[in-house]
Amino acid sequence: MRKNVLLLFIIALFISLNGAFAQPSGEYGVVIEGYDWGPAVSKVILSLEEPATSVDWSNYKIMVQRSSDSATIPAGQVLGSRTVIAGYVSDTEGNRLEEGNHATLVLYVAPNHSIGSPIQYSGGSNNWINYDMTIRNETRGLVWNQEVNRIMPIIDRFDLSGRFSNDNGITMSYASYDPQTEEESPLIIWLHGGGEGGVDPSIPLVANKAANYASDEIQALFGGAHVLVPQSPTRWMDSGQGSTSGQADDIYFEAVKALIDEYIAEHPNVDPDRIYVGGCSNGAYLTFKLLIEYPDYFAAAYPSALAYRNANLTDTQVERIREIPIWFIHSRDDGTTEPDQTVVPVYNRLMEVGAPNVHFSYYDNVVDITGFFGGDGYHYPGHWSWIYSHANVATRNYDGSLVMVDGRPVTIMEWMAAQTN
């Protein structure tokens, strides 16, 4: 009861403050960046009435209201303040200028700072929410409360308009990135987890850091690569009769393969000998299903948090995939896709049949790899092992040794770039 009363008081205060400064009001844009844990509003760009050469960012206070007609937002994550940590004069896109008509405020972000997120996990899926900001310059009595622009670095590189339907009535949205080169380029396929299904392909890119496969760093390793990110309307493990972890066919694998074929047909510069597939959890299940069904098609695979259960993998299927280069990523404390039921016995069986190019990065925990939020002392949920794939920091095998290519240690993406049919 106290929490409800406090929430009503905060809402009333927010509305009061918003109204008190409603005139004059200004326009703002937001920058949404992807982090290991998900997206956050990292900057706000304010329109200024006249050109400026400096920004006294300490004068600004920011209140946020998060709301949604569909997602349930916990009471403590509806209203809150954002901390400004820096500021500078910029253009409308947030690029730094010596003199300009905009001020960009840099905001504090952190994995445990939910008020900074423009999405909400609710009902088993991630959803965009309303993210309303009121920015006040307390010295000058000015307010900005009209959002006019959203910038999402890297995500904005993707075409989000992709739609695909097959003859069986399966329809999917998808995002794609074209490296804009006439040279033959590989294709990287990412299959999202269970919380990123739906009809908005920006969600599989932003709910975790999957958009990073189009980053300059990873693109440079491949000499430019196409990136294809299909989106399941439900979940990849949907059998039509419930969930499958390999005991029955899902309803999507044939449609996903057909989508890949169509994409390649529409992009004749895709190198057919360098098609790579990976995914997390639900998407790692589908990755494995595609390898079993089309073992000669993919040059390599990179599943994390594998949801395909070893009990449902036959000896014949193990033999079918033994020659495919695969790099597994998992965490020992994953309570969702328990490693002793999934990746550990699957990896061991591949080793037993002499798989020549299979690797397995096995972590005790999923930690803050940036070092900004506690480093090894900060633990994400154990299921989030895809962080090590997206950030391209996986380097070690199951026994702790470094994975090598041509006598030198490599990251998972460097390894994958070296694989070809």
Side-chain angles (χ1 to χ4, degrees), residues 186-328:
L187 171 62
I188 301 171
I189 301 157
W190 174 255
L191 302 170
H192 62 76
E196 288 80 62
V199 294
D200 182 349
S202 68
I203 287 292
L205 297 174
V206 77
N208 46 57
K209 207 174 180 181
N212 208 41
Y213 297 111
S215 67
D216 292 343
E217 175 194 5
I218 291 180
Q219 285 289 309
L221 298 176
F222 292 87
H226 293 263
V227 182
L228 177 63
V229 183
Q231 185 181 28
S232 163
T234 57
R235 62 196 185 282
W236 299 124
M237 297 170 72
D238 185 352
S239 71
Q241 305 294 324
S243 290
T244 177
S245 57
Q247 75 274 21
D249 285 343
D250 62 84
I251 62 176
Y252 291 115
F253 77 90
E254 292 178 324
V256 171
K257 174 59 163 56
L259 166 59
I260 297 169
D261 290 339
E262 180 177 279
Y263 182 86
I264 292 172
E266 293 175 351
H267 298 83
N269 67 325
V270 170
D271 185 347
D273 290 327
R274 300 181 69 198
I275 301 172
Y276 310 115
V277 62
C280 63
S281 191
N282 250 253
Y285 153 82
L286 185 58
T287 296
F288 220 62
K289 177 65 173 175
L290 290 171
L291 299 184
I292 291 168
E293 297 293 333
Y294 312 103
D296 299 322
Y297 190 81
F298 299 99
Y302 58 113
S304 51
L306 180 67
Y308 203 107
R309 292 178 70 87
N310 173 65
N312 299 322
L313 183 66
T314 68
D315 290 341
T316 299
Q317 290 170 336
V318 172
E319 286 289 344
R320 281 174 63 83
I321 64 174
R322 67 179 295 273
E323 297 293 334
I324 304 173
I326 306 171
W327 189 321
F328 297 100

Side-chain angles (χ1 to χ4, degrees), residues 166-189:
N166 71 356
D167 295 337
N168 294 327
I170 298 293
T171 298
M172 292 180 289
S173 305
Y174 66 90
S176 61
Y177 169 80
D178 186 338
Q180 299 295 318
T181 177
E182 296 182 1
E183 302 295 324
E184 269 201 334
S185 304
L187 171 62
I188 301 171
I189 301 157

Side-chain angles (χ1 to χ4, degrees), residues 50-100:
E50 55 188 29
T53 57
S54 64
V55 174
D56 190 350
W57 50 269
S58 63
N59 289 332
Y60 292 88
K61 302 296 182 184
I62 300 177
M63 287 293 294
V64 171
Q65 181 175 16
R66 302 169 77 242
S67 63
S68 175
D69 294 330
S70 55
T72 300
I73 302 176
Q77 300 175 17
V78 173
L79 290 176
S81 61
R82 297 298 306 275
T83 301
V84 182
I85 60 174
Y88 57 89
V89 176
S90 72
D91 63 15
T92 187
E93 300 294 309
N95 299 306
R96 190 182 296 268
L97 298 175
E98 291 187 4
E99 181 176 348

